Amino acid sequence: MTKPSLWLPAAEALELMRVRPQTLYASVSRGRIRAKPDAADPRRSLYHRDDVQRIAARTRGRRSSEAVASEAIQWGEPVLASAVSTVAEGRLWYRGQDARLLAEHATLEDVAGLLWESAPPRFACTAAAPMHAAGQATPLQAGLLALAARAAVDPPSRGRSRAVLQAEAAEAIGTLADALLSPSSSSTVLPLHARLAAAWRRPRAADALRRALVLMADHELNASTFAARVTASTGASVAACLLTGLSTLTGPLHGGAAAAVGALVRRAAASGSEAAVREWLAHDRPLAAFGHPLYPHGDARCAALLAGIELPPAFAALRAAGERLLGEAVNIDFALVALAAVHKLPADAPLMLFALARTVGWTAHVLEQQATGQLIRPRARYSGPELTR
């Protein structure tokens, strides 16, 4: 009698667990299921049979819909079906295409066409002057205000055609770009990465900016995307959905993580890389520059972005010290801050790149959510004082 293999391919693991692939990969990233590369095909992984069977047995024993819903909302578990993007086998995929390969040649506009299932849009400049040009607001403040102004007057998205919503989204993204940068008659026909390079007067950075925008365009159901989809499910305008996404992105645990990376880099420059990492850990502060739960073997986006730049010595030393002490590879937040340092971009460039790129993904999810016609309305499991009657 043949002894069953200790390691299972993905298809067998999924059949036993009766879950979507994202749930399997999330269980691996959270240490619940051991995985290793398939010797016959290093692009694929094998999963430990005992771990898979343990998870499968526990899942079969769970009958409460409340328990299922409660677990589904935790970080790393899928909460909605989506065909826009996914993280699988250690890579990021846009509608089945490897984002790393797209980053070799595509523009953000190309990726928007792919994710929106349309012709590549043009994020043209608008006539309005950005508020921060007159010293009234920072670029981020101006971006939030510009989208809020549109959200107050743009019509609801519910009941309108996909083509109309796509055109409106392209206009809203153009409005955001104007607010974050500044409108210029010479840049109205430039792709967004070229416009960024021109606005920041860094023509040599154009290709690296293009690569970064492509890699950041979407990342399945992260916090800002889920927030944008909830807004879209109410029938709110496209601009309102993008405003929701941008507001969520600014948090320090999301797009705002680059600020923490910058602070760590400055501390490393002042006291040395290893000392800075140890001090950070001693104060129980998470190192935003390292690790990502969906990429147990290293953030694929980070590797693709760093491949095109030469790390300054301070960044290389911090990377080596952090990876040695934490056992985690650097992530996309580290790469964005390094990119900004190499090309001497504005301090808020990482967040601006993140925001402009991710509007494309938010729009794709808004369109997908509108097509379902469903309202996203979770229930709460009450944990307050006992009810009085």
Side-chain angles (χ1 to χ4, degrees):
M1 181 176 180
T2 303
K3 184 178 180 180
S5 174
L6 185 62
W7 297 91
L8 304 175
E12 293 185 27
L14 291 171
E15 184 177 357
L16 281 172
M17 296 174 67
R18 297 182 182 178
V19 297
R20 288 165 51 83
Q22 292 93 329
T23 303
L24 172 61
Y25 307 138
S27 295
V28 172
S29 69
R30 297 169 74 176
R32 294 176 177 175
I33 296 178
R34 285 166 285 180
K36 70 173 185 177
D38 187 343
D41 186 354
R43 297 172 299 176
R44 301 186 181 279
S45 297
L46 298 175
Y47 305 91
H48 201 282
R49 181 191 60 202
D50 294 345
D51 297 341
V52 170
Q53 290 178 337
R54 184 183 67 254
I55 297 292
R58 188 175 66 187
T59 301
R60 285 193 295 270
R62 190 188 299 120
R63 290 289 180 263
S64 166
S65 61
E66 179 183 325
V68 172
S70 177
E71 181 164 315
I73 205 68
Q74 298 299 316
W75 201 103
E77 298 288 347
V79 293
L80 292 173
S82 176
V84 177
S85 71
T86 191
V87 177
E89 300 177 352
R91 290 179 284 176
L92 173 61
W93 306 84
Y94 295 156
R95 293 201 185 276
Q97 297 193 37
D98 192 333
R100 294 180 308 170
L101 299 181
L102 288 170
E104 294 295 328
H105 61 84
T107 65
L108 182 63
E109 290 79 1
D110 294 331
V111 172
L114 172 65
L115 296 182
W116 299 3
E117 298 180 303
S118 70
R122 187 164 64 91
F123 308 128
C125 295
T126 61
M131 293 186 65
H132 72 276
Q136 297 175 323
T138 66
L140 178 58
Q141 289 171 334
L144 290 166
L145 289 169
L147 287 179
R150 287 196 63 127
V153 297
D154 284 358
S157 56
R158 189 171 179 82
R160 302 166 70 205
S161 75
R162 185 180 182 90
V164 166
L165 294 179
Q166 290 169 344
E168 193 166 283
E171 291 177 2
I173 294 172
T175 298
L176 177 61
D178 286 350
L180 294 178
L181 302 169
S182 70
S184 168
S185 59
S186 64
S187 62
T188 56
V189 295
L190 291 178
L192 194 52
H193 70 274
R195 184 176 167 193
L196 284 165
W200 290 334
R201 299 181 181 180
R202 296 293 185 270
R204 294 182 180 179
D207 192 63
L209 295 173
R210 177 196 59 76
R211 182 184 294 264
L213 290 171
V214 169
L215 292 168
M216 299 300 298
D218 197 55
H219 205 228
E220 54 163 68
L221 287 172
N222 54 74
S224 59
T225 299
F226 183 62
R229 285 192 75 132
V230 171
T231 305
S233 78
T234 70
S237 69
V238 173
C241 298
L242 298 184
L243 176 61
T244 302
L246 180 58
S247 300
T248 307
L249 184 72
T250 61
L253 297 183
H254 197 4
V261 176
L264 178 61
V265 171
R266 291 190 294 273
R267 188 61 185 164
S271 61
S273 297
E274 183 158 338
V277 173
R278 289 183 179 276
E279 178 185 359
W280 221 263
L281 294 174
H283 287 84
D284 195 26
R285 288 184 289 181
L287 276 77
F290 298 88
H292 193 294
L294 290 185
Y295 300 97
H297 304 298
D299 192 332
R301 301 166 300 168
C302 175
L305 186 53
L306 291 183
I309 63 176
E310 183 176 349
L311 279 181
F315 281 83
L318 177 60
R319 177 182 187 175
E323 291 184 349
R324 184 177 66 256
L325 291 172
L326 278 75
E328 296 274 9
V330 289
N331 58 28
I332 189 63
D333 297 309
F334 176 91
L336 288 173
V337 175
L339 171 66
V342 168
H343 291 286
K344 297 181 173 58
L345 304 179
D348 51 4
L351 180 57
M352 292 169 69
L353 284 167
F354 206 150
L356 287 170
R358 195 54 59 86
T359 54
V360 165
W362 294 333
T363 298
H365 285 273
V366 167
L367 295 170
E368 187 175 64
Q369 186 62 39
Q370 280 302 313
T372 71
Q374 297 176 342
L375 175 68
I376 299 174
R377 204 302 191 181
R379 289 297 310 276
R381 185 178 65 239
Y382 182 68
S383 59
E386 184 177 349
L387 304 181
T388 57
R389 294 178 175 84

